[in-house]
C-alpha cells in the first residue's frame, strides 16, 4: 500500500489539522494539491516543466508537434464545503469518508514508471518503460480508480456506434450497439522492453481482485482494462496527443437523471482522488447519442469528446479511468445500510465524526459553481418574507432511441395536486409564496439547477428528476410523494447525506389527496417561519 500523502493527518469523517476557518485555507490546500500532483505524476511533470505557455491554456499535439490546438482548462472553483482529499490508509472500513470518496486507499502498480523502477531495481532493468499504470482500490465500495501515463486509444478496436449523434437520427438503435466491446489492444501503454510487446497489462486475477464485476452483466470499465496491451516505442504511434489529464468514462443509463448523477459523482471523485490540478478533459468511451444531460458534463469538466469521434489513434499523457456509477455510494445505498448524516464542512473540520459527511454538499456546490451560479458561502438563510416552492413535475419527452416518449405515471393526479398547491399559495397571507412549475424535461440544465438552488421547499413524486436535490442549498426542505409501487429510498438517502429535512407522503396507490399534501406543506412552511 502506497498512500500519496503521509503528511496530512486526516481522520475518517473529518480533519484534525486545526487551521480554523476552512475557506481561508482553500488556496493553500490547492497549492499543496498542485505540488502532490506534479510530484506523483512523473511523465506529466517532465512535459509541463518544458512547456512555455499560460497555465490556463494547454495543448493537444500531433505526433510531429507541427500543429498546436489550444484548449481551455478550467480551474477548480473555490467551494465552501470543500475538505482536503487524501488517500489516508487509516480510513476505517465502511465509514462515511470511505463510502463517499476517501476510501480508495490500497494502491497497486501493474506498471511502474521507469524512473521509479530504476530507483528500486537499478538502472537498465528494462522495467516499466515510459508508460505507467496504477489503481487505487476501495474495499468499502469494492471498486478502483485507475490512472496511467502514455496510453494510446485505438478507436477502430472499440466495437460500438459512433456516439454523440442527435437523438432523432438514431431512433430504434439497440443498446448493444451503444455499449463498447473492446478488442485486444483497444488501449495500449508504451514500454521500453520490446520482449513485452503485445502482452496484457493485467491478468484475470488482477481484474477479479480490483475491477470486480459484481452484479453487473457487462462491466465496461473492466473490459477496457482487460483490453490494455503493452507496446514498444516502434509500435506506439499517435495521430494526436492529449497533453492534459483526461477522464475516460463508460456510461450505461446515460439518459436517466439519477444514474447520470452517479456518473457525475464518480467522475468528480476520480478527479479529486488522483489529485488533478485542474478540471480534466472528458472522453466518453461509449456509443450513446447526445442527451440534454451533456450540458452538465460540459459544465463540470474542461472539454467533452466521444472515443469514436477521433480520426485515428489518440494518445493521452495522463488518463484516469472513472468507475461505473453503479459503484458509488449513491447507488450502493439502495441495497446497503450507509448510515451517514450530512454535516457542514466547517463542523467536520472542527469536530471529526466517522458517521457524518460533507462530500455530497461539496459535490452539489461543484455543480452550481460549474454553471456560474452564486454560492451561499456563509450559509445565509433564505428570507422569511418569501419562499420559492418548487414542484418537480414529470412530463412526456423522448429520452433515448428505445424510449416511446411517454413517462410512467407515479402520481396519477399530479396536475390536480399542483393546481391545489398553486391556489392555496395565492391565498396564503402570512408570507409570499412563489410556486415554481418544475417542467424540467424542456428546460436547460443550468435553469434546472438554478431552480433547485433558489427553492426553500422542493415537492415531487418519486422520480429521477428529484435527484437534483444534490444541488439544494442548506435549509431546503424536501417533500416526496411516494406511490405504493415506488417505495424506494433514493431521495430520503440523498437528503440525509446532505443534512436536509425530508418528509415523505406515502400513498396507498398513485392518487394523492390534495388536502393531505397541503397540510404537510403548511406544516413545513410554519417551521420555516412562514
Amino acid at each position: 500500500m502506497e498512500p500519496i500523502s503521509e503528511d496530512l493527518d486526516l481522520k475518517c469523517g473529518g480533519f484534525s489539522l486545526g487551521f480554523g476557518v476552512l475557506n481561508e485555507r482553500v488556496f493553500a490546500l490547492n497549492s499543496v494539491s498542485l505540488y502532490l500532483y506534479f510530484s506523483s505524476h512523473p511523465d506529466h511533470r517532465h512535459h509541463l516543466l518544458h512547456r512555455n505557455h499560460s497555465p490556463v491554456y494547454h495543448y493537444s499535439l500531433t505526433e510531429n508537434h507541427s500543429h498546436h490546438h489550444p484548449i481551455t482548462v478550467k480551474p477548480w472553483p473555490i467551494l465552501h464545503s470543500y475538505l482536503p482529499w487524501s488517500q489516508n490508509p487509516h480510513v476505517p472500513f465502511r465509514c462515511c469518508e470511505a463510502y463517499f470518496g476517501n476510501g480508495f486507499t490500497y494502491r497497486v502498480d501493474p506498471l511502474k514508471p521507469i524512473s521509479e523502477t530504476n530507483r528500486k531495481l537499478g538502472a537498465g532493468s528494462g522495467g516499466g518503460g515510459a508508460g505507467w499504470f496504477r489503481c487505487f482500490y476501495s474495499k468499502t465500495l469494492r471498486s478502483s480508480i485507475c490512472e496511467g501515463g502514455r496510453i494510446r486509444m485505438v478507436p477502430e478496436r472499440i466495437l460500438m456506434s459512433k456516439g454523440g449523434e442527435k437523438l432523432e437520427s438514431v431512433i430504434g438503435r439497440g443498446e448493444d450497439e451503444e455499449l463498447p466491446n473492446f478488442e485486444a489492444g483497444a488501449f495500449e501503454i508504451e514500454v521500453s522492453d520490446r520482449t513485452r510487446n503485445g502482452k496484457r497489462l493485467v491478468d484475470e486475477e488482477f481484474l477479479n481482485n480490483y475491477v470486480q464485476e459484481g452484479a453487473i452483466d457487462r462491466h465496461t470499465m473492466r473490459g477496457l482494462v482487460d483490453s490494455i496491451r503493452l507496446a514498444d516505442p516502434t509500435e506506439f504511434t499517435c495521430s494526436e496527443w492529449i497533453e492534459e489529464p483526461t477522464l475516460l468514462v463508460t456510461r450505461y443509463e446515460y439518459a436517466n437523471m439519477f444514474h447520470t448523477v452517479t456518473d457525475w459523482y464518480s467522475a468528480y471523485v476520480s478527479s479529486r482522488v488522483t489529485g488533478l490540478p485542474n478540471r480534466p478533459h472528458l472522453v466518453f468511451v461509449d456509443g450513446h447519442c447526445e442527451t440534454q444531460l451533456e450540458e452538465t458534463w460540459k459544465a463540470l469538466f474542461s472539454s467533452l469528446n466521444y472515443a469514436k469521434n477521433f480520426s485515428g489513434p489518440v494518445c493521452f499523457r495522463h488518463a484516469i479511468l472513472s468507475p461505473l456509477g453503479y459503484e458509488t455510494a449513491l447507488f450502493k445505498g439502495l441495497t446497503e445500510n450507509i448510515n451517514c448524516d450530512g454535516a457542514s464542512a466547517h463542523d467536520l473540520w472542527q469536530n471529526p465524526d466517522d458517521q457524518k459527511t460533507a462530500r455530497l454538499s461539496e459535490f452539489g456546490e461543484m455543480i452550481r459553481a460549474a454553471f456560474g451560479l452564486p454560492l451561499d458561502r456563509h450559509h445565509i438563510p433564505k428570507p422569511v418574507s418569501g419562499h420559492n416552492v418548487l414542484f418537480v413535475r414529470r412530463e412526456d419527452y423522448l429520452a433515448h432511441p428505445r424510449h416511446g416518449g411517454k413517462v410512467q405515471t407515479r402520481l396519477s393526479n399530479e396536475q390536480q395536486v399542483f393546481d391545489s398547491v398553486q391556489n392555496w399559495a395565492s391565498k396564503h397571507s402570512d408570507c409570499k409564496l412563489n410556486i415554481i412549475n418544475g417542467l424540467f424535461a424542456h428546460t436547460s440544465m443550468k435553469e434546472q439547477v438554478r431552480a433547485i438552488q433558489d427553492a426553500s421547499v422542493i415537492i415531487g413524486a418519486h422520480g429521477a428528476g428529484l435527484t437534483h436535490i444534490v444541488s439544494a442549498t442548506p435549509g431546503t426542505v424536501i417533500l416526496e410523494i411516494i406511490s405504493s409501487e415506488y417505495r424506494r429510498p433514493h431521495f430520503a438517502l440523498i437528503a440525509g447525506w446532505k443534512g436536509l429535512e425530508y418528509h415523505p407522503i406515502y400513498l396507498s396507490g398513485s392518487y394523492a389527496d390534495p388536502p393531505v399534501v397541503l397540510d404537510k406543506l403548511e406544516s413545513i412552511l410554519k417551521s420555516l417561519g412562514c
Side-chain angles (χ1 to χ4, degrees):
M1 190 186 312
E2 300 184 37
I4 279 184
S5 172
E6 298 175 353
D7 299 323
L8 300 181
D9 178 21
L10 303 185
K11 295 184 179 179
C12 175
F15 307 85
S16 56
L17 299 179
F19 287 133
V21 180
L22 178 62
N23 278 340
E24 297 176 0
R25 303 298 175 184
V26 169
F27 284 110
L29 289 168
N30 284 344
S31 298
V32 171
S33 176
L34 282 167
Y35 169 77
L36 292 174
Y37 173 79
F38 291 129
S39 63
S40 61
H41 298 80
D43 185 66
H44 213 12
R45 179 182 68 242
H46 170 79
H47 285 273
L48 287 177
L49 289 175
H50 289 82
R51 281 157 53 199
N52 297 312
H53 51 70
S54 164
V56 205
Y57 290 95
H58 304 284
Y59 296 89
S60 169
L61 306 179
T62 60
E63 183 66 12
N64 61 12
H65 294 196
S66 60
H67 301 288
H68 289 199
H69 309 286
I71 303 175
T72 302
V73 176
K74 299 175 185 176
W76 292 110
I78 304 301
L79 305 175
H80 179 83
S81 293
Y82 179 83
L83 288 173
W85 289 76
S86 171
Q87 292 165 350
N88 171 25
H90 305 298
V91 172
F93 177 59
R94 289 187 175 176
C95 76
C96 292
E97 272 296 282
Y99 267 116
F100 287 94
N102 273 327
F104 294 92
T105 57
Y106 188 80
R107 171 176 159 179
V108 287
D109 292 70
L111 184 64
K112 293 180 182 293
I114 193 167
S115 58
E116 189 171 348
T117 304
N118 287 348
R119 185 172 66 250
K120 292 183 177 180
L121 302 178
S125 65
W132 56 275
F133 192 87
R134 64 191 179 195
C135 293
F136 300 98
Y137 179 71
S138 168
K139 184 179 178 182
T140 296
L141 294 174
R142 302 179 297 283
S143 178
S144 288
I145 294 171
C146 300
E147 61 175 340
R150 296 188 71 84
I151 294 180
R152 185 172 85 140
M153 178 178 70
V154 186
E156 65 183 26
R157 297 174 186 168
I158 306 173
L159 307 180
M160 63 185 181
S161 49
K162 183 176 180 181
E165 309 95 340
K166 295 296 182 183
L167 171 57
E168 295 75 16
S169 70
V170 293
I171 294 297
R173 183 169 66 189
E175 186 174 32
D176 283 345
E177 296 178 60
E178 298 181 343
L179 292 177
N181 275 310
F182 301 99
E183 293 183 338
F187 286 81
E188 297 176 326
I189 300 182
E190 184 184 19
V191 291
S192 59
D193 185 355
R194 294 189 176 184
T195 65
R196 305 179 69 186
N197 189 47
K199 292 186 177 180
R200 295 176 69 182
L201 171 69
V202 298
D203 57 18
E204 202 71 18
E205 181 181 3
F206 179 95
L207 293 170
N208 290 337
N209 286 337
Y210 304 114
V211 195
Q212 301 156 356
E213 285 191 45
I216 303 167
D217 292 335
R218 190 166 161 186
H219 197 302
T220 48
M221 193 54 69
R222 177 186 171 106
L224 191 160
V225 175
D226 190 30
S227 80
I228 300 176
R229 298 296 185 267
L230 306 179
D232 69 48
T234 62
E235 301 286 336
F236 200 81
T237 58
C238 313
S239 62
E240 181 178 0
W241 273 94
I242 305 298
E243 295 288 338
E244 299 308 319
T246 303
L247 276 174
L248 305 181
V249 176
T250 61
R251 302 167 299 161
Y252 269 80
E253 301 178 62
Y254 65 103
N256 176 282
M257 180 64 183
F258 173 78
H259 288 285
T260 299
V261 167
T262 67
D263 282 334
W264 290 341
Y265 190 71
S266 185
Y268 177 70
V269 170
S270 298
S271 304
R272 291 301 199 181
V273 166
T274 53
L276 302 186
N278 293 295
R279 289 186 257 171
H281 300 302
L282 178 67
V283 172
F284 287 150
V285 190
D286 60 56
H288 299 308
C289 66
E290 185 180 59
T291 72
Q292 182 185 12
L293 299 174
E294 285 186 23
E295 183 185 344
T296 305
W297 280 111
K298 292 175 181 177
L300 285 170
F301 300 101
S302 287
S303 71
L304 185 154
N305 209 337
Y306 280 79
K308 283 287 195 178
N309 287 353
F310 291 100
S311 58
V314 58
C315 292
F316 302 99
R317 194 73 64 188
H318 181 191
I320 302 94
L321 278 57
S322 179
L324 301 182
Y326 295 126
E327 296 167 354
T328 61
L330 290 163
F331 187 83
K332 287 184 177 290
L334 303 178
T335 55
E336 296 181 20
N337 182 24
I338 303 179
N339 186 26
C340 297
D341 295 322
S344 74
H346 180 269
D347 288 348
L348 289 180
W349 185 273
Q350 298 291 338
N351 302 295
D353 190 329
D354 287 0
Q355 299 305 311
K356 293 182 179 180
T357 182
R359 292 298 176 197
L360 222 52
S361 293
E362 176 185 328
F363 174 59
E365 282 194 6
M366 180 65 206
I367 293 174
R368 303 203 309 273
F371 281 119
L373 299 176
L375 299 182
D376 184 12
R377 297 183 64 183
H378 303 291
H379 296 279
I380 300 171
K382 297 179 175 71
V384 295
S385 58
H387 290 280
N388 285 356
V389 178
L390 172 63
F391 200 122
V392 178
R393 307 287 300 276
R394 290 178 63 81
E395 57 178 324
D396 293 340
Y397 72 103
L398 193 61
H400 57 77
R402 296 158 296 283
H403 192 257
K406 299 290 184 182
V407 298
Q408 196 170 16
T409 299
R410 307 287 174 84
L411 178 58
S412 59
N413 63 327
E414 182 182 280
Q415 186 63 49
Q416 180 189 15
V417 173
F418 176 77
D419 291 342
S420 298
V421 169
Q422 199 168 40
N423 183 57
W424 170 80
S426 67
K427 300 174 182 177
H428 200 279
S429 57
D430 292 341
C431 62
K432 185 175 184 296
L433 298 179
N434 306 307
I435 308 302
I436 310 300
N437 192 3
L439 295 171
F440 282 173
H442 300 91
T443 306
S444 73
M445 295 302 295
K446 179 175 182 177
E447 291 309 312
Q448 292 179 42
V449 174
R450 189 195 304 275
I452 293 290
Q453 175 176 270
D454 292 343
S456 296
V457 182
I458 299 172
I459 309 175
H462 181 93
L466 278 181
T467 320
H468 268 305
I469 66 175
V470 296
S471 300
T473 55
T476 304
V477 182
I478 312 303
L479 175 57
E480 182 182 8
I481 303 172
I482 308 171
S483 72
S484 58
E485 291 185 35
Y486 296 96
R487 295 196 174 177
R488 300 169 183 168
H490 298 66
F491 311 114
L493 289 172
I494 293 173
W497 295 333
K498 280 182 62 70
L500 302 178
E501 186 178 330
Y502 171 85
H503 300 273
I505 297 177
Y506 295 107
L507 308 179
S508 58
S510 63
Y511 177 88
D513 188 8
V516 172
V517 177
L518 294 177
D519 284 347
K520 179 63 73 173
L521 181 58
E522 186 169 27
S523 174
I524 289 171
L525 288 167
K526 282 182 179 179
S527 72
L528 296 176
C530 184

